[in-house]
Amino acid sequence: MLTESLLIEELRQWSKSVLEKPNKDFNNLPACPFAEHTWDTGKVKVMLGEGGLWSDLIEIIKNFDDKYEVVIYCGIDYDTMTEEEFEKRLRLLSVETVKNNLWIMGSHPDSKTLEHSAEQIDFTPLSSQDYYQIFLQKLDTLVKASDSIIKKNYYKNYSKEDFNEFVELRRKRWLEEITAK
């Protein structure tokens, strides 16, 4: 059975094995160049969510604790929604997250491909339980971090369309929100 403590341990191990290692697909930078520092400074919160209608996740979005840079919300009820429904929920929530200076993204266990994700070959899960992951990150911090790795050719293997979808859209939504305030 997946417990929150096992989930934290598994995600930390996944980060070390997958996200924090230099990767040729990202110009020999780690898949997530800021993951190690964020974990090491205690700015990652992992939670095993209630699932369902995500009311607990909505509360986190409304009352995001600024001592964290990333909240990883995981749910084991992935079999109650298709990958498409999961993605639709994330798109709907993104309207609110941006208003709260947050960016939301996630992955569903049934996803066949995760665009621009790191290879998972060096990682063996600690639990046999599948779960989805939803990442909430401070949007202004994410945009600034993204800007800093553009200069290091982190995105050199992205197509123009993917770069626009993954990087420019985030920046555009952030700029729209800060100019609207």
Side-chain angles (χ1 to χ4, degrees):
M1 181 174 150
L2 186 63
T3 62
E4 194 162 271
S5 61
L6 180 59
L7 179 64
I8 292 166
E9 184 180 351
E10 180 169 290
L11 288 175
R12 183 64 187 109
Q13 193 59 43
W14 169 71
S15 182
K16 287 179 179 180
S17 301
V18 177
L19 298 181
E20 299 170 25
K21 289 184 175 181
N23 186 311
K24 64 179 173 42
D25 293 334
F26 303 103
N27 199 30
N28 290 319
L29 292 168
C32 184
F34 307 99
E36 183 176 13
H37 176 75
T38 306
W39 279 101
D40 290 350
T41 56
K43 295 189 178 187
V44 177
K45 177 182 174 99
V46 175
M47 64 178 294
L48 184 56
E50 295 170 7
L53 296 175
W54 295 348
S55 56
D56 54 339
L57 176 61
I58 292 167
E59 282 303 310
I60 292 167
I61 293 168
K62 288 179 180 176
N63 302 298
F64 194 83
D65 187 342
D66 284 335
K67 75 178 178 184
Y68 299 108
E69 289 183 15
V70 179
V71 171
I72 308 172
Y73 177 97
C74 300
I76 60 173
D77 64 329
Y78 68 91
D79 57 343
T80 65
M81 70 187 98
T82 65
E83 176 187 354
E84 293 78 21
E85 291 167 327
F86 177 80
E87 291 295 328
K88 184 177 179 181
R89 282 184 177 195
L90 292 180
R91 280 192 303 278
L92 290 170
L93 282 175
S94 73
V95 174
E96 291 305 313
T97 58
V98 170
K99 290 178 186 175
N100 290 302
N101 188 35
L102 298 171
W103 189 252
I104 190 169
M105 59 188 167
S107 65
H108 190 282
D110 293 339
S111 294
K112 301 290 183 261
T113 60
L114 295 173
E115 294 297 324
H116 303 289
S117 64
E119 290 290 325
Q120 310 286 316
I121 55 176
D122 293 332
F123 175 67
T124 304
L126 302 176
S127 168
S128 60
Q129 176 75 56
D130 280 338
Y131 50 89
Y132 54 79
Q133 299 174 355
I134 298 173
F135 297 84
L136 285 170
Q137 294 178 268
K138 300 289 289 183
L139 182 55
D140 57 350
T141 303
L142 188 58
V143 168
K144 290 171 189 167
S146 183
D147 286 350
S148 75
I149 58 178
I150 286 173
K151 298 169 189 158
K152 297 176 181 178
N153 287 323
Y154 176 87
Y155 299 105
K156 76 176 189 172
N157 292 324
Y158 280 46
S159 69
K160 183 171 179 60
E161 295 80 23
D162 286 348
F163 183 81
N164 287 337
E165 180 182 343
F166 292 107
V167 180
E168 290 301 323
L169 174 65
R170 204 170 36 219
R171 169 186 299 294
K172 179 182 177 222
R173 303 265 315 270
W174 176 63
L175 289 171
E176 288 170 353
E177 192 56 36
I178 61 172
T179 56
K181 290 185 176 180

